Amino acid sequence: MPPRGAPGSASTAGRGRGARGGPSGHPSGSRGGPPQQGQGRGRGGPAIPPSRPPPPGGLPDTSPHITTVGVKRSAFGTSGRTISVFTNHYQVPIPEGNIYHYDGPSLLTLSSMLTCPNVNSYCVVVISPSEKVLPARLNMVIIRRLQEVVAPQVFTPRAAYDGRKNMFAARELPFGPSGTEEFTFTLSDASPGEQGQGGTEGRRGPKPYKVKLKLVATINPEVLRRFLQGKQSHDNDVLTAITALNVAIRMEPSLRYPFNVRSFFTEQEKLDIGGGIVLWRGYFQSVRPAIGKMLINVDISTGAMYKPGGVIDVALDFIGRPRQDPNLLAPRRGFPDRERIKLQRFLSGVRVEVNIPGQPQTVRRPARAVKKLTPAGAGQLSFTNRNGQTLTVAQYFEQTHNYRLRYPDVVCIEVGSGAILPIECCTIPAGQIMRKQVPADKTKSVVEFATKKPNERLASIRAGLGVLAYGQSEYVRQFGLNVASDAGPHSLQARILDPPTLQYGPGSRQPTIRPRDGAWNMIDKKFWKPEGIKRWMVVVFEREQRFRRDIAQEMVNGFLKAFAAVGMRVEETDPLIFYQTTTTRIGAQLREMGKQVLNKHRGGGGPDLIVAVLPETSADMYQAIKHFGDCVQGVATQCLKASKCSHAKPQYFANVCLKINVKLGGINTIPDARSVPALTDPHNPTIVMGADVIHPAPGADGRPSFTALVGNVDSDTAKYVADCRVQTSRQEMIDDLSVMAKGILEMYQKYRRGMEKKPNANPKRIIFYRDGVSEGQFRHVLDFELPQLKEACRALGIEAKITFIVVGKRHHVRFFPQRPEDAERSGNCPAGTVIDRDITHPTEFDFYLQSHSGLLGTSRPAHYNVLYDENNFTPDSLQALSFALCHVYARSTRSVSIPAPVYYADTVCSRAKNHYDPDSPGMDLSETATQLESPEASRQLEAFRANFRPLSEKSRRVMYFS
C-alpha cells in the first residue's frame, strides 16, 4: 500500500475503499446479504413487519431473522475514563415518502441493456450512443439538459442522478403503466441536421443522445428506520435507500463543482505546487447509518488539479523549466524521448481546448482528451489530405487557419480521434482533477496543504456547511433532508483506555514503563532480547570529500555507544569503511566488500550487518541494497541518509538501534503479561496475524498487485515474520493466503519448540487483522480468505479459534475534544480514545480507536470491524488487546495508529519492489502510469511474476522489514 499518510490525500493510487454510506453505483454486492425472499416488483414497497419495542441500550434485535455480515453487536465497552468529544457528523431526518429508484447499467446500447433482480424493482438509465463509456461529467450534463430543457414538465421536482446508472426521485415519474420512457435530444439547441459545434462534428450536426428510463424499485423508508433501530437486516432495500440519500446530497455540488465520487472541490482555497499541479480544497460528504439515527459525515479533502492555462506553460512547468524557451519541448532540439514519455503519462486523459492565438473564437469547440504526444514537431509531421496533397501539420494550420506556428518543432498532441494539434494552440480548462499518482517529490506539498490542526479542521468543516448549502439544494429538500448552515457538530461520549505496561530487559534501570500520551523513551533501558554483532561493515555511497572519513568514524563511534546503551554486544569495534561512488551492479560490489570482511577475520564469516550511507536522491541504490540483503545474501542492511547521520546526536543512533536489533533477530520490548491477559495467556497461546494488499497506481497497466502476511512467532506477540507474494493486478482477495498462513504457522511452531521450549507448540487462538478491505468486500473476505486460514490450520493439525477483524484507515471520521484540558498538546484526543456507540453500525460489532498521539494535523482513528469471532471476545478485551498491539511496533517508542502486525504487513507490501533485481531489464515499478495494450499488459504481468525473487531463508526468520 502507499504510505499511510497518503489516505485521503490527493493520491488516488491503488485501493478502492467503500464507505458505510454505500457505493455510488449499484448496491448489489455490498454490505448486507441477499435480498429477502418473495420480493418482486411493487410500487408501494415491501410489506413492513409490525414494530416491536427497541432492544435495550441501542443493541440490535437478537432475533435470528436479523442477519449481519460481520459479528452482531452484543454489548458495548465500559472500561476507561470518559470524555466528551465532537465528531464531524450532522444528524438528518429520514425521508417520509417512498423513494423511486431508476437504475441500471448506463452507457450500454439498448440492445445490450441489462436488468438486475437484486432489489424489488428497478428503473434503468441507459444513455446511448455508447461506443465507449462516457465520463460521469458528461452524463451529468446530459441528464441536466433532460430535466431542465428537454422535459422539465416530467421532472418536477427534479430527480437526483449519480452520473452513472442510478436515478432517484421523491415522486414517481409520469411514465404510465410500463414505468418506462425514452428521450432523444442533443446538447445544443440546433437540430441534428443543422450546423452544430464547428469542425467535422459541426458539419454533421450535434450528436443525438437517447436516454431510456425505467422504474425498477420503490423503497419504503420505513425499512431504513427499522434498520437504524436494530430491527432490520442490512439488505438491498436498506442499501438502496442509503444510496439514494447520498446521491441526493451530492447532486447540487456535482452540477456546480469538479467532483470525485464523494468529494467536490472549489477554487476558494488553492495552492500551485509546481510540476503543472494545483491543489484545491474540497469537501467530502457521505450519509451514514448509525445507532438509532442517520448522519451526514462532512470533512475537508484535497484535490490535485491540472494547472489551467496554455499546454506549453504546463508542460514546461512539469519538466521543471517554467517560463523558459518552449523549444525545450522540441525533439529535434534535444528534448529526450524519455522526458516526452513522462510528459505524455502526465497529460494523458486531460481535456484541452483549441484556441488559435490572435484569432477570435466564433464557435465554441468542445474540449478533447489528450491521447498521446507525437515524437516529432508539427513541422516534421505530415499527412495526406482529401485532395491527395501531402502537408505538414504546420502547413495545414497556415493554409486552413491562416496561422503560422511559432514553435513548429515542439511536440504535438494527438487526441482520441487521431487529430494532431500543436500544443501552442491548446489550453487546459480549469477544474480538471488529476486522477494519477501524485509525483513523489510533490507529496510533501500535498501533505502540508492537507494538514490542519484539530480546531482549524473543525472550523473549516463548520464553514463547509455554508458551501454545501443543504438548505438551498432542491434535491436535498425533496427527500426531507436538511442540515442548517449554523448546525453544530454531533456531540458524544468517548472513553480513554489505559495503556499497557511494557517490559524491557535485564540491566534496565527502569525495567517496566507505562506510556504517557502514547509515547515513552529508551533512557536507561536495555532491549528485552538484545542481539549481538560479530562482524559488520560501513559502505558510504558518497564522495569522500562530501562525507569525510573522520565523519564516518564519528558515526561508527556513535553506533558503538548506542549499541552498548541498549545492551547489544559488538565484538568488532573497528569495522571496515568502504567508499563507493559507482551506482551500477551494487549487489556485486557489496559481495566483494563482504569478501574483504571475511579475509579480515581469516575466514570467520562475512558481515552480520551492512550500514549503508546514501545521498539524498538514492531510491535505486536503496532498492539494490535491500534486494541484495533481503533476497540474495540474507544479511541485515541499514540504510542512512548522509545528511541525517553526519554529526548526529545520540538520540538518532538510539532510534536506528531499534531497527537494527530486530533485523538481527532481537526483541526490543514486550507487553507485560498482566496488562494484556488476552494476548499472553499461557493456557491460550495466541498468534496475531496482519494481512494487506497493495495495488498499482491508476493507469499503470501490466503492473502486479502484491500481498503480505505477517505473524508473531513468540509467546509475547513482539517478534514477527513475514511473507510477500505477487498476484493478479488490482485483485483485493489474497490468492495464496493458505500457503502463506501455513508457512507462518510452521515458523510459530518451530520457534515455540526450539527457542521457547514449549511442550505444546500449537496456537489455540488466531487473531487476524486485515487491512485494505472496503465494506462492500466484507462478504468476499469471509467467503474467500477465512476458509484459506482454516485450511492452513487443518493441514498442520491446529485447532485454533479464529477472530477476524478488518482495520480501516481510509475514512473521514474525526474526533475533537470538547474541553482543552482533555486534549493533548497537539489539540487532538488522547491516545487510547475509543468510541463504540452513537456513530457506529446499527447492528454489527465495530468501533473506532485512536491509538496514537497526534504530531501534525488532526489524528485519524482506525475503524475496526469484527467479521468473525470464535473466541467470543468482549468489546473491552478486544479493544484493549488492539490498543496493546499498537505499542509493540519495533521501530519507534510511540504507539502507532493500527496494530503492529497489520502495520508491518503494510510495510512489507510497500517494499515488494525490492524483490526484483534492479539490474534486470523491464522490471520498472515506478509510480508513474503506463498505457499498454491488453496483450502487452498481460505479458508484462507474467514477467513480474516470473522475476519475483523470494526472501532468503535467513531473512524469513527475522524482521527484515523493520
Side-chain angles (χ1 to χ4, degrees):
M1 182 182 154
R4 193 151 294 281
S9 75
S11 167
T12 56
R15 301 191 216 208
R17 306 293 207 279
R20 174 142 279 141
S24 59
H26 195 285
S28 65
S30 293
R31 187 168 196 135
Q36 301 297 313
Q37 295 298 317
Q39 292 184 352
R41 178 174 175 188
R43 295 293 176 89
I48 305 299
S51 192
R52 295 193 303 181
L59 295 174
D61 195 322
T62 57
S63 303
H65 76 276
I66 308 299
T67 59
T68 58
V69 174
V71 175
K72 187 180 292 187
R73 190 188 304 279
S74 60
F76 295 104
T78 58
S79 63
R81 63 183 178 89
T82 303
I83 67 168
S84 296
V85 299
F86 290 122
T87 181
N88 54 335
H89 291 77
Y90 298 85
Q91 188 168 347
V92 292
I94 298 171
E96 295 295 331
N98 287 345
I99 299 171
Y100 299 90
H101 185 191
Y102 297 72
D103 178 286
S106 85
L107 313 175
L108 300 180
T109 58
L110 297 180
S111 61
S112 62
M113 185 181 71
L114 304 175
T115 58
C116 179
N118 286 342
V119 298
N120 289 346
S121 51
Y122 279 95
C123 172
V124 180
V125 181
V126 179
I127 300 177
S128 62
S130 56
E131 297 86 1
K132 59 182 180 179
V133 175
L134 300 180
R137 171 192 52 80
L138 179 55
N139 290 341
M140 295 295 290
V141 171
I142 293 170
I143 296 299
R144 183 176 191 174
R145 183 169 180 83
L146 170 64
Q147 297 198 93
E148 296 181 3
V149 178
V150 177
Q153 71 284 359
V154 173
F155 298 95
T156 303
R158 293 176 190 143
Y161 176 58
D162 72 346
R164 288 298 176 197
K165 54 184 180 175
N166 291 294
M167 180 180 281
F168 298 97
R171 72 174 183 95
E172 186 173 356
L173 301 178
F175 291 168
S178 68
T180 304
E181 191 66 72
E182 289 187 9
F183 304 87
T184 302
F185 56 94
T186 69
L187 293 182
S188 74
D189 294 327
S191 68
E194 294 174 1
Q195 187 72 9
Q197 297 178 359
T200 305
E201 240 181 46
R203 289 190 292 272
R204 288 199 303 261
K207 179 185 291 186
Y209 292 92
K210 180 180 287 186
V211 177
K212 181 176 180 179
L213 302 176
K214 181 180 179 183
L215 176 65
V216 284
T218 303
I219 305 300
N220 189 330
E222 179 63 22
V223 297
L224 184 56
R225 186 173 288 105
R226 289 174 54 80
F227 169 66
L228 300 178
Q229 294 170 354
K231 297 185 290 184
Q232 163 89 26
S233 300
H234 194 212
D235 60 15
N236 282 304
D237 281 346
V238 171
L239 185 58
T240 303
I242 296 170
T243 302
L245 302 186
N246 272 304
V247 173
I249 67 169
R250 295 169 189 155
M251 183 69 180
E252 185 77 27
S254 295
L255 295 173
R256 299 171 57 190
Y257 305 105
F259 63 94
N260 186 7
V261 188
R262 296 177 179 86
S263 292
F264 66 91
F265 307 94
T266 77
E267 285 190 278
Q268 292 182 3
E269 187 179 352
K270 60 184 180 180
L271 176 68
D272 187 340
I273 61 172
I277 302 172
V278 180
L279 302 180
W280 284 21
R281 183 74 69 211
Y283 296 93
F284 168 93
Q285 52 180 351
S286 177
V287 176
R288 301 171 56 84
I291 298 173
K293 61 180 76 71
M294 286 299 296
L295 300 171
I296 295 183
N297 178 206
V298 179
D299 195 19
I300 59 173
S301 57
T302 298
M305 305 287 183
Y306 286 98
K307 184 178 179 178
V311 174
I312 280 186
D313 296 331
V314 174
L316 289 170
D317 204 6
F318 176 79
I319 66 172
R321 309 290 289 273
R323 296 179 297 280
Q324 295 189 28
D325 183 6
N327 284 311
L328 289 167
L329 303 169
R332 70 183 305 180
R333 302 197 187 190
F335 185 46
D337 198 53
R338 180 184 69 257
E339 293 299 312
R340 180 184 66 86
I341 296 298
K342 286 183 180 179
L343 179 60
Q344 176 177 286
R345 290 170 178 170
F346 173 70
L347 290 175
S348 64
V350 68
R351 289 176 292 112
V352 297
E353 295 177 340
V354 179
N355 297 300
I356 298 176
Q359 297 185 8
Q361 187 171 339
T362 56
V363 178
R364 183 182 180 276
R365 300 180 179 92
R368 299 183 173 191
V370 174
K371 182 180 179 182
K372 60 183 179 181
L373 299 182
T374 60
Q380 294 80 52
L381 293 170
S382 61
F383 68 99
T384 302
N385 64 12
R386 294 176 182 176
N387 300 323
Q389 182 183 12
T390 300
L391 298 169
T392 65
V393 174
Q395 290 170 337
Y396 170 82
F397 267 76
E398 186 168 4
Q399 289 184 12
T400 306
H401 298 288
N402 194 29
Y403 176 70
R404 175 172 291 184
L405 297 181
R406 296 177 61 196
Y407 308 107
D409 295 334
V410 169
V411 295
C412 296
I413 285 173
E414 181 179 333
V415 296
S417 64
I420 305 297
L421 306 173
I423 65 172
E424 65 183 85
C425 299
C426 298
T427 58
I428 298 176
Q432 295 192 64
I433 300 174
M434 192 186 77
R435 305 179 193 276
K436 299 182 178 73
Q437 185 85 13
V438 173
D441 62 331
K442 302 299 179 186
T443 302
K444 182 180 178 182
S445 298
V446 174
V447 171
E448 289 174 350
F449 182 78
T451 298
K452 279 185 177 288
K453 294 179 180 178
N455 58 338
E456 296 173 350
R457 191 181 196 97
L458 187 57
S460 292
I461 291 169
R462 290 176 188 265
L465 290 182
V467 180
L468 292 165
Y470 291 117
Q472 299 174 27
S473 168
E474 61 175 307
Y475 306 98
V476 170
R477 291 197 305 269
Q478 290 166 26
F479 288 93
L481 306 175
N482 186 39
V483 177
S485 59
D486 58 350
H490 196 63
S491 175
L492 54 95
Q493 297 294 303
R495 293 176 290 115
I496 312 299
L497 302 181
D498 292 331
T501 300
L502 302 177
Q503 279 189 284
Y504 281 89
S508 301
R509 186 175 299 179
Q510 189 181 6
T512 63
I513 187 171
R514 200 124 203 233
R516 183 177 179 182
D517 295 330
W520 63 101
N521 60 57
M522 283 290 299
I523 297 174
D524 296 328
K525 298 178 187 69
K526 309 287 186 184
F527 287 147
W528 174 256
K529 183 191 172 190
E531 199 68 25
I533 300 174
K534 293 182 179 179
R535 299 165 299 278
W536 58 306
M537 70 181 191
V538 176
V539 186
V540 181
F541 289 89
E542 276 276 29
R543 297 196 310 273
E544 194 165 347
Q545 297 94 320
R546 295 181 63 121
F547 197 88
R548 300 190 311 273
R549 193 165 290 271
D550 61 306
I551 296 177
Q553 188 58 55
E554 179 185 313
M555 180 192 72
V556 169
N557 295 337
F559 268 122
L560 292 173
K561 292 177 183 177
F563 289 146
V566 296
M568 297 176 67
R569 185 168 176 268
V570 182
E571 296 182 14
E572 183 179 28
T573 58
D574 59 339
L576 292 177
I577 300 174
F578 301 95
Y579 280 84
Q580 181 62 50
T581 56
T582 306
T583 59
T584 57
R585 300 184 68 249
I586 286 178
Q589 296 167 18
L590 292 175
R591 191 183 300 278
E592 288 302 314
M593 297 172 193
K595 288 180 181 178
Q596 295 187 45
V597 174
L598 187 69
N599 294 335
K600 175 185 175 183
H601 294 274
R602 299 177 182 178
D608 302 320
L609 170 68
I610 299 173
V611 175
V613 179
L614 304 179
E616 282 302 308
T617 305
S618 54
D620 293 340
M621 292 185 213
Y622 178 87
Q623 181 183 345
I625 293 166
K626 291 300 177 182
H627 180 78
F628 175 80
D630 298 345
C631 302
V632 178
Q633 197 65 30
V635 58
T637 56
Q638 182 59 57
C639 295
L640 311 172
K641 284 284 181 70
S643 58
K644 300 287 186 181
C645 63
S646 176
H647 304 301
K649 295 181 179 180
Q651 184 63 49
Y652 173 83
F653 296 108
N655 290 339
V656 177
C657 285
L658 294 171
K659 303 174 70 174
I660 292 176
N661 187 51
V662 296
K663 287 178 181 178
L664 295 170
I667 298 174
N668 293 349
T669 184
I670 64 170
D672 181 72
R674 289 166 297 184
S675 65
V676 201
L679 281 178
T680 54
D681 181 2
H683 302 293
N684 289 290
T686 301
I687 181 170
V688 184
M689 293 183 176
D692 195 11
V693 181
I694 186 174
H695 303 297
D701 302 324
R703 307 277 177 80
S705 291
F706 296 102
T707 64
L709 182 66
V710 175
N712 65 293
V713 293
D714 65 325
S715 298
D716 300 306
T717 62
K719 181 179 173 65
Y720 291 84
V721 295
D723 193 2
C724 182
R725 302 290 176 102
V726 59
Q727 73 174 26
T728 302
S729 182
R730 297 185 176 87
Q731 175 181 310
E732 183 59 45
M733 298 300 107
I734 301 175
D735 272 337
D736 299 329
L737 183 61
S738 178
V739 178
M740 299 165 76
K742 184 181 176 184
I744 286 179
L745 287 167
E746 286 175 332
M747 296 179 74
Y748 176 88
Q749 292 173 322
K750 289 177 183 176
Y751 190 88
R752 280 176 59 84
R753 287 195 195 102
M755 300 297 295
E756 297 183 345
K757 311 300 181 185
K758 303 287 186 182
N760 182 11
N762 288 352
K764 290 188 177 180
R765 293 194 293 212
I766 297 176
I767 303 173
F768 192 99
Y769 289 96
R770 177 68 157 89
D771 190 12
V773 177
S774 68
E775 293 186 1
Q777 297 169 315
F778 284 178
R779 171 56 64 189
H780 300 300
V781 167
L782 289 174
D783 291 343
F784 189 79
E785 294 185 356
L786 181 61
Q788 291 192 69
L789 188 57
K790 292 182 175 180
E791 179 186 334
C793 292
R794 280 195 302 271
L796 298 174
I798 293 173
E799 296 180 359
K801 293 181 177 180
I802 298 173
T803 296
F804 200 110
I805 308 163
V806 170
V807 187
K809 287 280 287 181
R810 300 204 170 194
H811 59 75
H812 284 265
V813 175
R814 301 290 187 275
F815 301 114
F816 308 88
Q818 293 188 16
R819 302 189 309 165
E821 55 267 35
D822 289 331
E824 295 181 330
R825 283 182 297 178
S826 65
N828 282 288
C829 293
T833 299
V834 65
I835 287 97
D836 62 358
R837 299 172 181 260
D838 216 33
I839 65 165
T840 49
H841 196 276
T843 60
E844 301 191 7
F845 184 4
D846 71 328
F847 59 91
Y848 292 92
L849 172 61
Q850 186 176 305
S851 53
H852 60 299
S853 175
L855 292 175
L856 295 172
T858 306
S859 297
R860 187 202 310 257
H863 187 201
Y864 296 75
N865 288 271
V866 186
L867 300 190
Y868 190 80
D869 184 22
E870 292 178 323
N871 291 293
N872 295 318
F873 283 118
T874 65
D876 281 334
S877 60
L878 198 53
Q879 291 161 11
L881 72 87
S882 296
F883 187 38
L885 286 168
C886 296
H887 290 77
V888 296
Y889 184 64
R891 295 170 60 166
S892 70
T893 54
R894 304 179 66 89
S895 57
V896 291
S897 58
I898 54 177
V902 77
Y903 206 130
Y904 290 143
D906 172 88
T907 303
V908 172
C909 275
S910 66
R911 293 168 52 104
K913 61 180 176 291
N914 299 339
H915 287 261
Y916 293 97
D917 185 350
D919 295 326
S920 295
M923 294 294 102
D924 177 21
L925 278 164
S926 61
E927 295 297 326
T928 52
T930 54
Q931 286 75 44
L932 298 176
E933 299 297 329
S934 184
E936 178 60 28
S938 298
R939 283 193 294 271
Q940 188 166 324
L941 190 59
E942 287 307 310
F944 276 113
R945 287 182 186 274
N947 288 278
F948 184 85
R949 182 161 182 167
L951 293 171
S952 72
E953 191 58 35
K954 187 174 180 182
S955 296
R956 288 187 68 232
R957 299 195 298 267
V958 297
M959 295 171 65
Y960 71 95
F961 45 83
S962 180

